[in-house]
Amino acid sequence: MQVVIKSENEIKKMRIAGRLAAEVLDMIEEYVVPGVTTAELNNICHDYMVNVQKTIPAPLHYGHKTSTYPNGFPKSICTSVNHVICHGIPSDKKLKNGDIINIDITVIKNGWHGDTSRMFTIGKVAGRTQKLIDITKECMEIGIRMVAPGMHIGDIGFAIAQHAKNNRFSVVREYCGHGIGKVFHEAPQVLHYGTKGHGLQLQKGMAFTIEPMINIGKRHSKLLADDWTVITMDKSLSAQWEHTLVVTDTGYEVLTVSDNYQFDY
Ligand code: MF3
Ligand code: CO
Ligand code: CO
């Protein structure tokens, strides 16, 4: 698969989409409290995207069609709680004290995608749980800091996996970051493990996500019968953070930032 290089003008449009995606997460934060259902969070985000931002929620009706969900993914956001690794479907289940949740937002604005996710905690969480969340964020940041023209995609994955391993966490291998632009998921695949100096060489104008999924227990995942929800095989907790970025002349620019949520370069 060909990797599309984005022009300056196209990056301008991706900057707008990226900021809008980040602003949905800023907006939803205050609603992530004990007793709220993930379906309620979905509806609040959906209404904000469609009515306030005039963006399209990219997950809705996206992807493979199954007997359970004949129109593709059934909701506008992904909500992955506790041992759910990714692609959790918003439901009537209430969040409770001690839960952790990843909210993953992808918007389309003027045909361009912005894709970002963050972790939120509900009430008090255990020390090791907070550590998982913090180290996963660091894994994403360390991966992003590897990005520059001439670097290899394996350099990103290597750096991420090393940081996870140093903290005795494991890296999910079945899902990865991805090229993004006019298309939600395009080349290249950005694995969160790898070998230094291996894989595609980065060039200015490549746009992709880095979105490590890190588990407290073993790395193995399992797809549920709904054909979307991915959980840890051993039911251990899993965390994920995601940014969309573009390769610049000298390094990278993170596109999924907002006034409340900058990237610390
Ligand atoms: N936003 C997810 C990602 O980071 C993809 C979700 S696909 C969906 O790539 F269909 F589940 F929404
Ligand atoms: Co993504
Ligand atoms: Co995402």
Side-chain angles (χ1 to χ4, degrees), residues 106-214:
T106 311
V107 306
I108 309 172
K109 184 70 169 184
N110 298 322
W112 293 86
H113 290 74
D115 186 8
T116 185
S117 78
R118 299 179 200 159
M119 295 301 297
F120 300 90
T121 53
I122 292 85
K124 256 198 168 50
V125 302
R128 183 80 181 145
T129 306
Q130 188 60 51
K131 179 89 175 179
L132 171 72
I133 291 173
D134 296 345
I135 294 296
T136 304
K137 184 162 191 257
E138 289 174 15
C139 282
M140 174 190 68
E141 292 166 347
I142 286 167
I144 291 172
R145 292 194 186 99
M146 297 306 293
V147 173
M151 294 294 283
H152 292 261
I153 231 154
D155 297 328
I156 300 171
F158 178 82
I160 290 169
Q162 180 162 267
H163 192 57
K165 189 171 172 225
N166 286 343
N167 290 280
R168 290 172 292 111
F169 295 130
S170 66
V171 178
V172 174
R173 298 202 186 179
E174 293 85 355
Y175 302 87
C176 59
H178 50 92
I180 182 168
K182 281 195 193 189
V183 173
F184 191 167
H185 295 99
E186 62 182 29
Q189 290 197 13
V190 183
L191 272 53
H192 303 115
Y193 61 95
T195 309
K196 276 185 198 176
H198 279 58
L200 178 78
Q201 230 177 343
L202 302 179
Q203 279 174 48
K204 179 185 170 173
M206 287 180 179
F208 52 86
T209 70
I210 295 180
E211 50 180 299
M213 287 144 274
I214 307 291

Side-chain angles (χ1 to χ4, degrees), residues 33-77:
V33 293
V36 75
T37 69
T38 48
E40 286 164 350
L41 297 175
N42 173 80
N43 294 344
I44 297 165
C45 288
H46 178 93
D47 290 346
Y48 187 77
M49 289 186 263
V50 171
N51 300 323
V52 178
Q53 296 188 325
K54 321 264 185 226
T55 57
I56 298 168
L60 188 59
H61 303 155
Y62 176 81
H64 59 275
K65 294 156 182 36
T66 66
S67 48
T68 337
Y69 298 112
N71 302 314
F73 193 78
K75 296 286 183 180
S76 298
I77 68 173

